Amino acid sequence: MSFRWSLRKLWAVFTVLSLVVLCSSTNNFYWIDIEPTHDLVWHSCYQPLHRECARLLVPLNHLNQSSRDHGRASIALIRKPSRFSSGSSTLHSRYRGPILFNPGGPGGSGISLINQYGDLLAQVLGDEFDIVGFDPRGVGRSTPKVNFFGSAASGEKELWGYEGLYVIRDKGVSVENIWARAVVRNKISLENKGEWLGNVNTEQAAYDMLSITKAFGREKLMYWGFSYGTILGATFAALFPDKVERVVLDGVVDAEDYYATSWTTNLLNTTATLDQFFMTCHAAGSSSCAFWAPSPSLISANLTRIYKDLIVNPIPIHTSTSYGVLDYSRLRITIFMALYSPWASWPLLAQALADLGGPNRDPKRIWQMSATPTFGCPSCSLSCDDKDRREREFGVDNFLDALTAILCSDGLDTPADVAAAKKYFETFTSVSEWADVWGSIRLSCAGWPKVKKGFQGPVEGRTGFPILFVGNTADPVTPLASAKRMSKRFPGSRVLTQDSPGHASISAPSVCTQSHVRRYFLNGTLPPEGTVCPVISAPFPSDSSHRFELGGVPKASGDVMEVVFKSEGTSREQGLWDAVDRLSKAWNFPFNPTFL
């Protein structure tokens, strides 16, 4: 049996680290100490970071008036507060309200996002806003929580071998195997959570966002959603078009394809993203890119050679913290995930491939990009008192369970027979060479319980204020074409293009893009039609890179717009420069270990 590496294993290392922190922490903050309330009651949390946390009570089913007093969900929130959100009336006049964030998934944690990157996002957007993250219903620290396999301490999920992405191959993990395992797991999900799974969907989450907005004392939503977060934001806009104050949808998913449970339009630019790796590596030169070759095509050929070598000669690995097999499948998923974050991942990936493809076939670096400690029983190995144990179980990650529950509940039912699964995969392989990685997403819904469906479209409408869609020219999983397609469904909206590889705008350092986003949130200014923003550096460091600064004006160039920057900038502009540069080099796991 081939080694199957997944996002689950990547996330496990951060879960283990968080458990250690919980049992050794001296900051005395516990989520279980926060009583869920109908109003937002903020508590100091995650010190020494300046964060505040709350738990907001909302109806379990917003659409059933008779059940509102019987079923409740609790939404966990975190904010980096604006320095103008309290104090004198003069300071208060500068407060512009909360901007809600969703990092993607579905199943990504907004708590983790803002805890880790709230300071940088505030530096991009300014002190006038509260920077707010939340775990959507069913996710993370929000309750009720989706957990197919019982308590985290049982280890049942590990014994089952619950995976995220698989590489589907004739020899290894087959369509038939993935289909059969999905059917079994989804029967387990019905047994454990069937009574409320129908309320864990994007429609209910959109109602939750409206509840959060009103709890802040405001009537309209300000929101920045990435990836699946664009589905959540677009669904909100379709349901409540008059409640849109400012909505940025960044790394846009085609809502029609998503709600059809098709997942076939995501990979239109994936090959182009990998081509950018080859081209930028070659352009950087051998001193900056360790996997350099005399041409991009030769770099590609060298990667193909490594693939072929691993198919016939996988590498057994045993380290002090983990063990396993580096094979074709593991390398393929490692490369696929690196396409999400070029500035954070590509220099390391290039060095790892150079080591692996060298005469010594050194796998250490490529293994380290994905290795996690061997699974153990945290509740057995860690000494915690009862409160620590309850806090640990409350906060443990459930990303994959939540992802499956939300996307399968949102979308149309998929055919339950293996023949239909095989036909789907065969068709998908004609669309993208990366279907072997992406095809398992739809297959994961095989045999999903017949829960009630929420809103499934049409996702369209004329909103109270125009939406800003943002797309990269070489995004591996949310192509620019999806942003343009979705914009047509919302009259008056605008598409801002960022000329870069990577998933969502912040994966690359563009002062141009983020200055447009800031102006949109601050005063509602939309970028000129056809604006294309450059980046300020290449993924591979180079002494010859030219530095651009914020402060210019749009300049027409044919049918596109280019933003030209001055050589000198203010301290505010320098701060924005630093923020986008640091974000692009950190915009990676663990906060968003998502398919999208």
Side-chain angles (χ1 to χ4, degrees), residues 272-585:
T273 313
L274 183 59
D275 287 342
Q276 284 286 313
F277 171 75
F278 301 142
M279 288 187 286
T280 56
C281 175
H282 174 259
S286 58
S287 62
S288 295
C289 179
F291 201 52
W292 184 88
S295 71
S297 61
L298 286 176
I299 299 174
S300 174
N302 287 337
L303 176 58
T304 300
R305 175 178 56 81
I306 294 173
Y307 275 146
K308 291 179 178 179
D309 188 28
L310 284 177
I311 290 173
V312 295
N313 293 301
I315 303 174
I317 294 178
H318 185 279
T319 72
S320 60
T321 58
S322 64
Y323 56 83
V325 176
L326 179 62
D327 61 3
Y328 169 84
S329 296
R330 179 160 186 157
L331 177 60
R332 184 135 173 95
I333 295 179
T334 301
I335 290 173
F336 182 79
M337 299 312 299
L339 298 181
Y340 281 55
S341 49
W343 276 256
S345 300
W346 284 8
L348 176 60
L349 177 65
Q351 184 63 64
L353 290 174
D355 293 348
L356 184 60
N360 297 325
R361 291 186 86 214
D362 184 353
K364 293 185 182 67
R365 282 192 173 89
I366 203 72
W367 181 260
Q368 290 168 357
M369 290 186 70
S370 59
T372 62
T374 304
F375 175 73
C377 176
S379 63
C380 302
S381 59
L382 295 179
S383 176
C384 296
D385 61 24
D386 181 64
K387 188 175 183 179
D388 285 322
R389 178 187 58 78
R390 289 185 291 117
E391 175 76 5
R392 183 179 67 242
E393 292 182 356
F394 179 82
V396 74
D397 167 64
N398 69 329
F399 165 70
L400 285 177
D401 292 352
L403 180 143
T404 301
I406 295 169
L407 73 87
C408 296
S409 295
D410 275 347
L412 297 176
D413 291 334
T414 61
D417 59 284
V418 69
K422 293 177 67 175
K423 182 177 180 181
Y424 165 79
F425 182 67
E426 291 170 359
T427 301
F428 194 12
T429 54
S430 66
V431 175
S432 173
E433 64 175 304
W434 291 93
D436 58 344
V437 173
W438 204 246
S440 59
I441 299 177
R442 175 183 164 95
L443 299 183
S444 70
C445 293
W448 184 249
K450 298 292 183 179
V451 299
K452 61 182 178 181
K453 296 292 184 180
F455 174 83
Q456 293 180 312
V459 182
E460 60 188 22
R462 184 175 291 276
T463 53
F465 195 85
I467 296 172
L468 176 59
F469 292 91
V470 184
N472 294 356
T473 53
D475 188 308
V477 291
T478 53
L480 180 60
S482 294
K484 295 179 178 180
R485 187 177 302 114
M486 289 295 294
S487 179
K488 291 179 180 178
R489 297 172 185 164
F490 289 92
S493 66
R494 189 67 48 83
V495 175
L496 173 62
T497 299
Q498 180 170 289
D499 189 13
S500 74
H503 182 37
S505 68
I506 297 185
S507 67
S510 175
V511 174
C512 168
T513 297
Q514 303 315 325
S515 63
H516 279 303
V517 170
R518 170 168 167 75
R519 285 194 287 267
Y520 172 79
F521 276 116
L522 195 60
N523 54 37
T525 301
L526 289 166
E529 190 78 44
T531 298
V532 179
C533 277
V535 293
I536 60 176
S537 65
F540 296 95
S542 174
D543 293 338
S544 62
S545 294
H546 182 63
R547 177 172 174 140
F548 295 93
E549 294 283 1
L550 177 65
V553 295
K555 179 180 178 181
S557 176
D559 59 351
V560 300
M561 302 291 294
E562 296 177 348
V563 176
V564 181
F565 299 104
K566 296 186 300 184
S567 60
E568 299 294 336
T570 67
S571 59
R572 160 68 199 163
E573 293 163 351
Q574 181 62 51
L576 182 58
W577 176 289
D578 293 339
V580 299
D581 184 58
R582 291 169 61 192
L583 274 169
S584 69
K585 294 173 181 174

Side-chain angles (χ1 to χ4, degrees), residues 163-206:
E163 305 288 339
L165 292 179
Y166 298 81
V167 174
I168 302 173
R169 303 182 64 218
D170 293 334
K171 295 180 179 180
V173 181
S174 65
V175 170
E176 294 87 346
N177 181 272
I178 294 175
W179 173 86
R181 290 175 63 85
V183 171
V184 172
R185 188 202 62 236
N186 291 338
K187 286 183 179 179
I188 294 172
S189 71
L190 179 61
E191 293 171 357
N192 288 342
K193 302 296 180 185
E195 71 277 9
W196 53 264
L197 276 177
N199 292 316
V200 179
N201 57 42
T202 298
E203 179 183 33
Q204 294 287 347

Side-chain angles (χ1 to χ4, degrees), residues 44-63:
S44 177
C45 59
Y46 297 108
Q47 298 306 319
L49 296 174
H50 184 40
R51 302 288 186 266
E52 295 176 349
C53 295
R55 296 174 68 193
L56 181 68
L57 280 174
V58 297
L60 183 61
N61 184 354
H62 288 273
L63 304 177

Side-chain angles (χ1 to χ4, degrees), residues 7 47 134 148 233 245 358 547:
L7 301 179
Q47 298 306 319
F134 64 100
F148 297 159
E245 182 172 353
R547 177 172 174 140

